[in-house]
């Protein structure tokens, strides 16, 4: 795999996670998923990523003969139960999981400062605060895309963001999501998210 293929794979995985977590997955996303459009590597990458791919393949196999609209409706109910509530069991915000930050308090400014240092602002159409998991993933995508286009400083921004933010809360978040969801799809998403961050951590360590 050459550098551009690696960048494409990194971006595709982050795009998948954004689609899965930013809001209820839409019918087009589900149809593409069930048709096998998301390519996953056959070779081993790391333990959580491999587990996530296995769970995702199993989810696709279980639902391959169903109408995408019906699968999407099930995912909507589960996404709403898990992430929206009332009283959602999983609160997908960095400041919720950080012991050194108050939930949606001053820690939110630290997350936003990390974005600002890289000259990035969150998309206005995201329905949640700036420490929401999908917003952080959108920032990660921005940094990977800048690296793809040759911006070497984006590697340093990613190193800082991973160390000071994303890696600080991934483990308790994905543990909650795996334990508290009733959907194999979201079990897969939890493991893929953990595996993507582990992969990015190892890759960026080689680049700085």
């Amino acid at each position: 795999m050459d550098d551009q293929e690696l960048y494409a794979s990194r971006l595709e995985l982050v795009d998948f996670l954004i689609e899965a977590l930013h809001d209820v997955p839409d019918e087009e996303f589900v149809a593409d998923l069930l048709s096998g459009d998301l390519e996953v590597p056959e070779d081993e990458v790391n333990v959580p990523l491999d587990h996530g791919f296995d769970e995702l393949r199993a989810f696709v196999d279980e639902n391959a003969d169903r109408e995408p609209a019906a699968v999407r409706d099930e995912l909507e109910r589960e996404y709403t139960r898990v992430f929206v509530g009332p009283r959602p069991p999983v609160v997908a915000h960095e400041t919720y999981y950080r012991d050194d930050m108050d939930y949606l308090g001053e820690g939110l400014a630290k997350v936003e400062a990390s974005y600002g240092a890289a000259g990035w602002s969150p998309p206005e159409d995201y329905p949640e605060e700036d420490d929401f998991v999908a917003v952080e993933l959108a920032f990660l995508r921005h940094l990977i895309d800048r690296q793809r286009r040759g911006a070497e400083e984006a590697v340093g921004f990613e190193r800082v963001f991973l160390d000071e933010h994303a890696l600080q809360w991934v483990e308790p978040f994905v543990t909650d999501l795996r334990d508290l969801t009733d959907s194999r799809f979201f079990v897969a998403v939890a493991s893929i998210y953990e595996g993507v961050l582990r992969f990015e951590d190892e890759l960026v360590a080689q680049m700085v």
Side-chain angles (χ1 to χ4, degrees):
M1 181 181 291
D2 64 27
D3 287 348
Q4 289 305 311
E5 290 174 333
L6 179 59
Y7 281 122
S9 295
R10 292 166 69 193
L11 291 169
E12 183 178 23
L13 282 173
V14 175
D15 284 340
F16 165 79
L17 290 169
I18 292 171
E19 284 291 328
L21 291 167
H22 93 280
D23 204 346
V24 176
D26 63 29
E27 189 173 335
E28 181 180 1
F29 170 80
V30 173
D32 289 345
L33 182 62
L34 296 183
S35 70
D37 277 2
L38 180 70
E39 295 185 9
V40 298
E42 295 297 329
D43 297 333
E44 294 181 355
V45 182
N46 59 49
V47 171
L49 203 52
D50 297 341
H51 175 259
F53 291 151
D54 287 344
E55 289 295 307
L56 191 61
R57 291 189 192 97
F59 172 82
V60 170
D61 289 345
E62 289 171 355
N63 293 280
D65 296 329
R66 300 180 63 202
E67 288 296 323
V71 177
R72 188 266 179 194
D73 288 346
E74 287 183 0
L75 292 179
E76 178 180 18
R77 288 192 292 272
E78 182 65 357
Y79 185 97
T80 301
R81 184 188 73 81
V82 171
F83 294 112
V84 181
R87 297 184 180 179
V90 179
V91 182
H93 290 262
E94 177 180 343
T95 55
Y96 177 82
Y97 283 98
R98 295 282 297 267
D99 292 336
D100 58 342
M101 293 181 177
D102 293 330
Y103 176 44
L104 301 182
E106 62 182 20
L108 192 58
K110 295 180 180 178
V111 178
E112 293 164 345
S114 186
Y115 302 159
W120 184 80
S121 298
E124 294 182 358
D125 59 344
Y126 278 28
E128 295 283 351
E129 290 80 5
D130 289 346
D131 67 331
F132 184 58
V133 61
V135 181
E136 296 201 356
L137 280 162
F139 180 55
L140 179 61
R141 190 198 191 286
H142 167 76
L143 295 177
I144 295 171
D145 189 51
R146 282 180 61 183
Q147 294 165 30
R148 180 182 62 83
R149 291 183 279 115
E152 294 182 4
E153 69 275 10
V155 177
F157 286 129
E158 183 177 357
R159 176 74 277 157
V160 172
F161 178 68
L162 290 172
D163 288 344
E164 295 186 359
H165 295 287
L167 293 173
Q168 293 291 323
W169 65 289
V170 57
E171 185 173 345
F173 166 64
V174 299
T175 297
D176 278 355
L177 182 52
R178 279 192 290 256
D179 290 348
L180 298 172
T181 184
D182 295 327
S183 169
R184 177 167 247 159
F185 173 77
F186 288 112
V187 170
V189 167
S191 290
I192 291 171
Y193 178 53
E194 182 182 11
V196 163
L197 290 189
R198 183 178 297 185
F199 178 81
E200 289 293 322
D201 181 32
E202 294 171 354
L203 181 64
V204 170
Q206 300 170 19
M207 297 169 68
V208 295

